[in-house]
Amino acid sequence: MATMEMAETGIGRRRDRDRGQTAIEFVGVTPLIILLLVALWQCALIGYTFSLAGNAADVAARAGNGAQWNSEAACMRAAKKDLPDAWQTDNIKCTPERGLYRATVNLDVPVLVPGILDFGPTIKGNAASAKER
């Protein structure tokens, strides 16, 4: 008798109507979650590229300043030494100035996967080392 009363009042039918709603909501929100993760990953790649460019420029300036002969070649070699393969570049500028040895390294930010899509923004790393006398 209790089940008959429930059927008459519609309590059992209301529960059946909501069936699968969680699955539909999850499917609807999943693309947003994936987009958020992609954006966070891209931000991490941009930050890592900033770190790499600054470090490469710093190491290059010190190496160029300390070299006795062919300081530009030493500067270029030092800038490329610690860069991962996906961030390797020939866009390195080493210039001796009055009292300083300056190095500039330009790195392209990879898009999503390092080494595959490299059409992101360019990050510039600058450093200078005081000439020792």
Side-chain angles (χ1 to χ4, degrees):
M1 179 108 182
T3 57
M4 198 163 170
E5 287 175 11
M6 286 176 56
E8 288 175 6
T9 59
I11 293 173
R13 280 189 243 149
R14 267 189 263 146
R15 272 194 239 141
D16 289 342
R17 274 195 333 219
D18 292 341
R19 225 173 196 192
Q21 181 178 351
T22 306
I24 297 298
E25 289 175 358
F26 179 73
V27 168
V29 172
T30 300
L32 297 175
I33 293 170
I34 291 172
L35 277 173
L36 178 66
L37 292 174
V38 166
L40 289 173
W41 177 249
Q42 192 60 43
C43 289
L45 285 176
I46 290 170
Y48 187 54
T49 304
F50 265 108
S51 177
L52 287 174
N55 183 58
D58 189 42
V59 169
R62 281 188 275 127
N65 188 22
Q68 292 183 1
W69 296 283
N70 203 356
S71 62
E72 188 171 352
C75 175
M76 297 275 198
R77 214 174 20 255
K80 292 180 179 183
K81 180 182 176 190
D82 293 330
L83 288 176
D85 291 339
W87 280 271
Q88 286 296 323
T89 183
D90 290 327
N91 199 350
I92 300 167
K93 185 178 176 186
C94 301
T95 54
E97 295 177 4
R98 175 193 262 159
L100 292 174
Y101 194 89
R102 189 172 299 279
T104 303
V105 177
N106 293 318
L107 297 177
D108 292 329
V109 177
V111 178
L112 290 180
V113 182
I116 295 177
L117 297 173
D118 293 330
F119 56 84
T122 300
I123 304 294
K124 186 177 192 179
N126 290 313
S129 178
K131 288 186 180 176
E132 299 171 8
R133 297 182 189 244

